[in-house]
Amino acid sequence: MLPQTLAIPALLFVVFIFILSAVVLQSKQNEKYPPGPKTLPIIGNLHMLGKLPHRTLQSLAKQYGPIMSLKLGQVTTIVISSPETAELFLKTHDTTFASRPKSISSKYISYGGKGLVFSEYGPYWRNMRKLCTVQLLIASKVEMFSPLRSQQLQELVKCLRKTASSREVVDLSDMVGDLIENINFQMIFGCSKDDRFDVKNLAHEIVNLAGTFNVADYMPWLRVFDLQV
């Protein structure tokens, strides 16, 4: 039982949530979306995704077609499951759909979405891409490090042959991760791996943070409560 001093605010909060949800649903009812499963108040179709969302989306696509709509919380999401339709979104109309959805993790990972991966499509993003393609990823610079990459790959192959001949068990993912880290250190810092900078684990942490479920991404009105930050 809640204390009497907390019962009334809690009740008002619950009523506010349902009223807000009803207002949002009412404002969206006249919009036309592709077919999709029925939604629940507030959470939409989040409860349907399960532990293997890709399998769920595959099953739903068989029922609702290659273009379907889902409500992930309060966020309307269009799911494309056909190569021909995906080409329209990713190639024919790529500039229209180039921006990534804003998320809490991208805000902190890339200083408010200022990185090339998370920033919105526009003048800033185009300038960032130009900087990368002209200054960092031009063919001459990539080719300049070709001997380094070849040497590192040869060393990896020798190591794998040695462990295979002795019938040792190896973690190939870990070895490839070390290879990529060593190449990046050589290309960026001009030296071998430095124990002061744990780049591989940092990359893993970024990937985990970017893929972590945050309820405020799907119910934006909860961001003010700062539930998971």
Side-chain angles (χ1 to χ4, degrees):
M1 296 293 291
L2 288 173
Q4 187 174 1
T5 55
L6 297 178
I8 295 178
L11 179 61
L12 292 175
F13 176 76
V14 172
V15 173
F16 169 77
I17 295 301
F18 278 96
I19 291 177
L20 180 63
S21 177
V23 170
V24 172
L25 291 175
Q26 182 68 26
S27 64
K28 297 292 186 180
Q29 67 179 0
N30 294 325
E31 296 186 13
K32 294 183 179 180
Y33 292 110
K38 292 183 178 180
T39 63
L40 293 179
I42 301 179
I43 65 172
N45 302 114
L46 281 175
H47 65 291
M48 302 179 65
L49 296 182
K51 295 182 178 180
L52 298 173
H54 59 293
R55 296 284 181 85
T56 302
L57 295 178
Q58 180 189 29
S59 299
L60 290 173
K62 293 179 180 179
Q63 182 177 356
Y64 296 102
I67 305 180
M68 64 178 176
S69 61
L70 298 176
K71 288 281 287 188
L72 302 181
Q74 299 299 316
V75 179
T76 301
T77 305
I78 307 301
V79 181
I80 307 300
S81 55
S82 113
E84 296 79 14
T85 309
E87 183 179 7
L88 294 176
F89 282 85
L90 300 176
K91 184 177 180 180
T92 307
H93 305 288
D94 60 328
T95 56
T96 304
F97 302 96
S99 298
R100 293 177 179 270
K102 293 183 178 179
S103 64
I104 299 295
S105 60
S106 66
K107 174 182 176 182
Y108 293 97
I109 291 173
S110 61
Y111 298 94
K114 293 182 175 61
L116 182 63
V117 175
F118 296 106
S119 60
E120 294 183 358
Y121 178 79
Y124 176 81
W125 183 87
R126 289 194 292 269
N127 287 334
M128 290 281 289
R129 183 185 65 174
K130 182 179 179 181
L131 174 65
C132 290
T133 54
V134 174
Q135 299 294 335
L136 300 177
L137 303 177
I138 56 177
S140 60
K141 286 188 177 293
V142 174
E143 186 64 26
M144 182 174 63
F145 292 104
S146 178
L148 169 64
R149 294 193 299 271
S150 178
Q151 177 188 359
Q152 294 287 339
L153 285 171
Q154 289 176 8
E155 292 179 0
L156 176 63
V157 172
K158 288 180 181 178
C159 181
L160 290 176
R161 286 176 176 172
K162 182 179 179 180
T163 54
S165 61
S166 59
R167 298 183 178 275
E168 297 180 17
V169 177
V170 298
D171 187 338
L172 188 58
S173 296
D174 187 62
M175 296 182 69
V176 172
D178 288 335
L179 171 69
I180 296 173
E181 186 179 22
N182 290 334
I183 292 176
N184 285 330
F185 263 98
Q186 291 281 355
M187 293 174 63
I188 298 173
F189 301 112
C191 63
S192 300
K193 180 179 176 181
D194 193 327
D195 292 335
R196 294 177 299 173
F197 306 102
D198 194 354
V199 177
K200 186 170 66 173
N201 285 333
L202 178 61
H204 288 167
E205 184 179 359
I206 290 175
V207 171
N208 290 333
L209 287 174
T212 298
F213 175 83
N214 193 313
V215 66
D217 289 335
Y218 304 97
M219 301 177 189
W221 47 270
L222 286 177
R223 290 182 180 179
V224 67
F225 299 103
D226 204 22
L227 297 178
Q228 291 175 267
V229 178

